[in-house]
């Protein structure tokens, strides 16, 4: 856990120093996208050959749907509260 | 960029090939280093993104209000869910929710740090979050006001769901939606490992 967060923070600090190298950004995005492609492909591979997970897929899907529903509902209620409390009266202020 | 159909395609092809037994190499150690490499890249891309610091210097602490609401709402809603399905585990439920729709990164972190089955739950759950927001944004505005689809979208309010949000809430929420997505996108790779490491 510590390594993951340390690498992220190190990356952010290093990135701040590279902020003026504009040509870096598209390459970086491409590299991230392909790393994600690769990692998800391998995640798919090991899930595909794991009969345990494949067998439980419907249960996992139902759990996933319940989590999304709970997360979205909670977020919507908070958005409604914030809208009532802070944004309604001064919404014109932030227009771009 | 971060959540595209192509990403899902790679995952689906992987599942299919694994199921057919086409690739039988076990590369467990390698995937840890691949995740480390990815986290470093994600960090650098946050650091070099000029929008992150321009939004911060322009709006300061106020810009955190809406993302904070989404975090409290998400984790609060999931805490209530835990009372219904305690068998999954509180930490596990929270970690999946802390993906805030950023399904590619959160599922990779979770399957590496916890288990592949929870990684699958994270992948599905965060895809569902994005798709539900895409489909119901106008209804969200009608029931919960203009900020609702931004909060529903989570981290995706800066890219994949932005067009739908602007269409249903109006163009004046553009800066709010962008900032909300940027803040949550930065927090996903921080919060998910923190929750799992608790």
């Amino acid at each position: 856990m510590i390594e993951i967060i340390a690498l992220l923070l190190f990356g952010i600090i290093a990135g701040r120093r590279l902020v003026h190298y504009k040509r870096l950004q598209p390459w970086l995005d491409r590299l991230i996208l392909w790393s994600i492609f690769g990692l998800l492909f391998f995640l798919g591979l090991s899930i595909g050959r794991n009969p345990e997970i494949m067998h439980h897929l419907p249960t996992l899907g139902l759990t996933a749907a319940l989590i999304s529903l709970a997360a979205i509902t909670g977020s919507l209620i908070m958005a409604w509260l914030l809208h009532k409390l802070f944004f309604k009266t001064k919404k014109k202020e932030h227009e771009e | 960029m971060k959540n595209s159909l192509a990403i899902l395609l790679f995952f689906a092809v992987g599942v299919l090939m694994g199921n057919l037994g086409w690739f039988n190499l076990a590369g467990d150690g390698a995937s840890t280093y691949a995740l480390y490499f990815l986290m470093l890249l994600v960090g650098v891309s946050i650091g070099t993104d000029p929008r992150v610091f321009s939004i911060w210097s322009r709006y300061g602490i106020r810009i955190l209000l809406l993302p904070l609401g989404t975090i409290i709402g998400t984790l609060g809603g999931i805490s209530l869910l835990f009372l219904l399905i305690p068998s999954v585990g509180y930490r596990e439920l929270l970690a999946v929710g802390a993906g805030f729709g950023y399904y590619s990164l959160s599922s990779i972190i979770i399957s590496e740090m916890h288990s592949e089955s929870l990684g699958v739950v994270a992948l599905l759950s965060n895809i569902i979050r994005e798709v539900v927001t895409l489909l119901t944004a106008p209804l969200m505005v009608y029931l919960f006001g203009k900020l609702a689809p931004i909060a529903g979208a989570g981290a995706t309010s800066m890219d994949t769901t932005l067009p739908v949000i602007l269409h249903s809430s109006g163009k004046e929420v553009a800066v709010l939606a962008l900032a909300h997505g940027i803040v949550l996108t930065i927090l996903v790779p921080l919060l998910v490992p923190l929750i799992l490491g608790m």
Side-chain angles (χ1 to χ4, degrees), chain A residues 66-77:
Chain A
L66 289 174
I67 296 174
S68 323
L69 204 67
I72 293 175
T73 311
S75 302
L76 292 181
I77 291 169

Side-chain angles (χ1 to χ4, degrees), chain A residues 16, chain B residues 49-60 63 175 182:
Chain A
R16 282 298 285 158
Chain B
D49 193 334
R51 289 177 303 177
V52 174
F53 294 90
S54 71
I55 282 182
W56 177 259
S57 56
R58 198 145 154 216
Y59 298 97
I63 213 68
V175 177
I182 290 171

